[in-house]
Amino acid sequence: MAAEKQGMETVAEVDSEQIYKAVKALMEYVKKTKNDTKLFLNEDEIIMLCVTVWEIPSQEQKIKIALPHEIRSETVEICLFTKDEPNMNADETQKFYQKLLNEHNIKNITHIIPYKSLKTEYKPYEAKRRLLSTFDVFLADDRIRRLLPSHLGKHFYRSKKIPLSVNLASNDLAKDLCKMIQGTVLPVNNRGSCYSSRVAHTGMKLGEIVENVIAAIHTIGVKLPQQWKNVKILHLKTLNSPALPIYTSDMCNLEELQKKKSKKHKETIYEENATCSPELDRAERLRSALLPLQCEDLPVERVRTLPGVQSRVRPRAGHQLDLRLSQTRNRPRHWGYRLAGGCHPHRPLLHSRG
């Protein structure tokens, strides 16, 4: 219920007319640049939604976004990484999953690679590079998804062709795969404040692009860490165009985030203080009461120390103060405080007494 309310607030704050103007301007810009270059006239450029946040999240996250209109053509090349079936070699495993896809009437998977084949046939660096350039989309069985990074290499993740996790045991496999292929992902990391996601391409109709952008904003406003209040600016752009702003947040959102953060910090401190034992609390009060006494009320002298070591204060000879806190078997051992003249210049003044 709260997520739906947050999503309604998100759509209400975003001006659809501004999105329409930005999309129209991008389409005109792409058309002009194509007429100027006279190259690749039949190729469509992708349109990306750029999200800038107020506060960088503490953990990485991948936000899956379902879009109402397809952003990939039917000729897109798709590769599927599968789990190794027991008592089957690589070829038999490949045929097993091909039969599974045919039973669900799934025709858009171009190639199937079992996990065993990935480890052996695609171990060289050049083989991984060819695999990356051959396919547009990569899917992975969710049972082996965590094992893939060490075998694919960092170039897969730098090119943002991260394999999308799918459940091959799903009863409605065709619908789940279609949603995954025709949807998009917003990768959120803890190393920066700006993230981008593919939401459309220039070959789509103007109204379809606007609907995809609004759907993506709705999902991001609900699933983003700290939700819609953490969104600072939204832009639309192609790979080679300027970024056009479609939404700018108010400063009140940042102030609200800071208040929440401050309140959470105070609650954490209160909980930590509430869990402290009475003995430790009493020892801390005694320690704070004794430290001013040794520095102000007693005649002191500076102790010469080694270079780079902070000098300490000790009382002159004849001024002694001993305080020992009682100890029991079930309570932690406490520090005793001893101020005595004539101690070694490098010996700590505070030490435990039995």
Side-chain angles (χ1 to χ4, degrees):
M1 195 69 180
E4 293 179 0
K5 183 178 180 181
Q6 184 69 32
M8 293 175 62
E9 294 178 358
T10 301
V11 177
E13 291 187 23
V14 177
D15 187 5
S16 59
E17 186 65 25
Q18 181 68 19
I19 298 175
Y20 182 86
K21 292 178 181 179
V23 172
K24 187 176 180 180
L26 283 178
M27 301 286 279
E28 292 177 355
Y29 177 85
V30 171
K31 184 177 179 181
K32 182 179 182 301
T33 54
K34 283 188 176 182
N35 290 336
D36 291 342
T37 57
K38 303 294 183 182
L39 295 174
F40 308 112
L41 297 179
N42 295 325
E43 287 191 359
D44 296 326
E45 291 194 30
I46 64 173
I47 297 177
M48 297 182 297
L49 175 64
C50 301
V51 183
T52 305
V53 298
W54 285 110
E55 294 184 358
I56 299 176
S58 58
Q59 296 180 350
E60 294 186 355
Q61 180 184 355
K62 292 181 178 63
I63 300 176
K64 297 181 180 179
I65 304 172
L67 300 175
H69 302 285
E70 298 180 354
I71 61 174
R72 296 182 175 92
S73 63
E74 296 180 356
T75 59
V76 66
E77 299 288 334
I78 302 174
C79 178
L80 174 64
F81 298 114
T82 65
K83 175 181 176 292
D84 293 328
E85 290 297 322
N87 303 323
M88 291 187 185
N89 55 30
D91 293 336
E92 292 173 345
T93 301
Q94 186 176 358
K95 292 179 181 178
F96 173 81
Y97 283 102
Q98 186 63 57
K99 182 180 178 181
L100 176 66
L101 296 177
N102 293 335
E103 290 176 355
H104 289 82
N105 196 25
I106 300 173
K107 306 295 184 181
N108 52 358
I109 302 296
T110 311
H111 192 54
I112 298 175
I113 301 179
Y115 181 62
K116 186 181 296 183
S117 298
L118 178 65
K119 293 190 295 183
T120 55
E121 298 179 13
Y122 296 94
K123 187 174 182 180
Y125 176 77
E126 290 300 327
K128 295 177 183 178
R129 298 288 293 183
R130 286 195 300 270
L131 177 64
L132 177 64
S133 60
T134 303
F135 300 98
D136 302 307
V137 181
F138 292 91
L139 304 176
D141 190 339
D142 56 3
R143 294 170 292 184
I144 62 166
R145 174 66 181 80
R146 61 184 180 83
L147 305 174
L148 295 180
S150 59
H151 298 289
L152 294 178
K154 58 185 178 182
H155 49 279
F156 259 81
Y157 297 86
R158 286 180 178 176
S159 62
K160 297 184 179 180
K161 288 188 178 181
I162 303 172
L164 304 176
S165 180
V166 295
N167 180 16
L168 295 180
S170 173
N171 295 328
D172 200 351
L173 183 59
K175 183 179 179 180
D176 294 345
L177 282 179
C178 182
K179 185 186 296 186
M180 188 67 63
I181 294 170
Q182 298 302 337
T184 187
V185 175
L186 178 71
V188 178
N189 58 60
N190 54 2
R191 298 184 298 274
S193 60
C194 187
Y195 322 110
S196 62
S197 176
R198 175 180 178 178
V199 293
H201 60 79
T202 55
M204 299 171 61
K205 296 179 180 179
L206 196 60
E208 294 177 346
I209 299 175
V210 174
E211 291 178 3
N212 274 10
V213 172
I214 293 176
I217 293 174
H218 175 86
T219 305
I220 292 170
V222 174
K223 296 184 178 181
L224 187 72
Q226 302 192 56
Q227 298 184 330
W228 180 246
K229 296 295 183 182
N230 199 23
V231 176
K232 182 179 181 181
I233 305 174
L234 295 176
H235 291 91
L236 284 178
K237 69 182 298 292
T238 64
L239 291 177
N240 301 315
S241 73
L244 303 181
I246 58 175
Y247 170 79
T248 303
S249 176
D250 296 330
M251 288 297 296
C252 60
N253 289 343
L254 176 61
E255 294 173 358
E256 186 174 343
L257 289 175
Q258 291 176 345
K259 288 180 181 179
K260 288 183 179 180
K261 188 175 181 180
S262 177
K263 183 179 179 180
K264 186 177 180 180
H265 180 66
K266 290 180 180 179
E267 290 177 353
T268 304
I269 294 178
Y270 177 79
E271 291 175 358
E272 291 177 353
N273 292 337
T275 56
C276 292
S277 63
E279 292 82 4
L280 292 177
D281 190 28
R282 177 172 175 267
E284 184 64 26
R285 290 200 305 269
L286 289 172
R287 179 177 179 274
S288 61
L290 287 174
L291 286 179
L293 181 64
Q294 69 174 355
C295 299
E296 297 177 2
D297 297 351
L298 297 178
V300 297
E301 65 178 358
R302 289 284 177 179
V303 178
R304 182 173 298 177
T305 58
L306 295 175
V309 180
Q310 185 179 3
S311 60
R312 296 168 296 155
V313 177
R314 72 175 186 184
R316 292 183 182 275
H319 297 277
Q320 297 183 354
L321 176 63
D322 284 316
L323 173 64
R324 287 181 291 181
L325 300 178
S326 60
Q327 300 177 9
T328 62
R329 184 177 62 180
N330 296 327
R331 288 187 292 180
R333 186 172 184 178
H334 302 295
W335 281 1
Y337 296 83
R338 180 174 184 270
L339 304 177
C343 63
H344 193 275
H346 303 302
R347 184 178 299 164
L349 296 179
L350 300 180
H351 61 88
S352 60
R353 296 285 300 272

